Amino acid sequence: MRYLMTLLLLQIGLVIVQATVTSRRIESAELTCPDSAGAVLSSGSQADGLREACRSGPLAAPGKELVIVPAAVPDPAANWTGVPLGFNDPVYANVASGTRRIALSPDSSLTDVSIVENSGEPTITCDGSCNLTRVRIHSREGVRCISGDIKLTWVYIAATGVGDDHADGLQCYSPGSTGTVTIKNSTFKLAGATTAGYWSADNWRGSHVFENVLFEGGNHGLRIPADGGSSVSLKNVYFVRGSFRYSAFLFDAVNGRRINIAQWENVRWASWQGDKLVLGQPIPRP
């Protein structure tokens, strides 16, 4: 154990040494060295580790006190969230802008692209396996997934439904198809006439993996009925409290069963303080 020693010279000539413990919590608040006869004036479980300090240096004289101040334990919820915080997040500094919808053939990739359009049809369609990296979308309907291994990394989707729309940030739709959709470091923000930030149903049989993902707005942030996939995994997933019309997430029962929740780790409420995202209480596993 290492100690950071700060010497303070008092008017009465005594020296008090204050130490900050960085490796583990100390329960005893004060320790003193043995007197010249070897009697311990104040004891604790840390005393043996301080013998060297007592034999020499500022603690050598009897009666000097060592005050142990536990180091503050950082709150993991205060750490950087790893999601794009807006359409103009710095991660999109080098994107190429466009206004047309894109249909990706199987095994395609799309990187550093920004699309703003208002057709009401999916802005990007993945007809098979595809990779989207540093892509941002502002439209009435975000991404449509058909089948295959689909990966979204640092993707920001703002979908605003109009009139009779049932807008989704991402929808898996192709009855009988299967695949794996993996979403990392991404944000789904919905407004207007919507269904969900992420929606899969109608006998789409794949799995859904979320890591470092933020959901805000819409009827639901995340909605996957039992007929919308085989499993769902959530790690470091955040829902903006109070932004959803009905609920943050919904795993509908179909024929008496629900989708298998394979992982539920560090799923939390979140809120905005100005342009800063603040993580809140953990959400219990449903």
Side-chain angles (χ1 to χ4, degrees), residues 193-280:
T194 64
T195 297
Y198 186 101
W199 163 245
S200 179
D202 300 316
N203 201 30
W204 199 87
R205 301 174 180 175
S207 57
H208 311 272
V209 179
F210 302 90
E211 183 174 347
N212 297 321
V213 178
L214 175 67
F215 291 97
E216 180 177 4
N219 287 353
H220 308 278
L222 171 63
R223 184 178 181 184
I224 308 176
D227 66 346
S230 57
S231 67
V232 60
S233 300
L234 288 81
K235 179 180 179 180
N236 303 333
V237 175
Y238 316 117
F239 297 89
V240 177
R241 186 188 288 271
S243 68
F244 307 102
R245 183 171 292 112
Y246 299 126
S247 63
F249 53 86
L250 179 61
F251 303 123
D252 312 62
V254 177
N255 296 325
R257 69 177 185 89
R258 286 187 170 86
I259 190 171
N260 174 45
I261 300 176
Q263 184 180 24
W264 188 273
E265 180 180 343
N266 194 34
V267 179
R268 291 178 176 267
W269 294 112
S271 61
W272 291 101
Q273 292 183 2
D275 58 357
K276 180 181 178 181
L277 184 69
V278 178
L279 303 187

Side-chain angles (χ1 to χ4, degrees), residues 56-85:
S56 61
L59 296 184
K64 304 300 187 294
E65 292 184 349
L66 176 67
V67 180
I68 308 295
V69 181
V73 179
D75 180 2
N79 292 343
W80 180 61
T81 56
V83 300
L85 299 181

Side-chain angles (χ1 to χ4, degrees), residues 102-110 122-132 142-152 170-174 181 204:
I102 296 176
L104 294 174
S105 58
D107 300 317
S108 296
S109 296
L110 192 64
T123 301
I124 296 176
T125 299
C126 291
D127 286 327
S129 298
C130 71
N131 292 325
L132 306 182
V143 175
R144 178 70 53 83
C145 297
I146 305 301
S147 64
D149 187 10
I150 299 168
K151 297 179 180 178
L152 278 66
L170 183 150
Q171 180 182 7
C172 297
Y173 181 79
S174 181
V181 182
W204 199 87

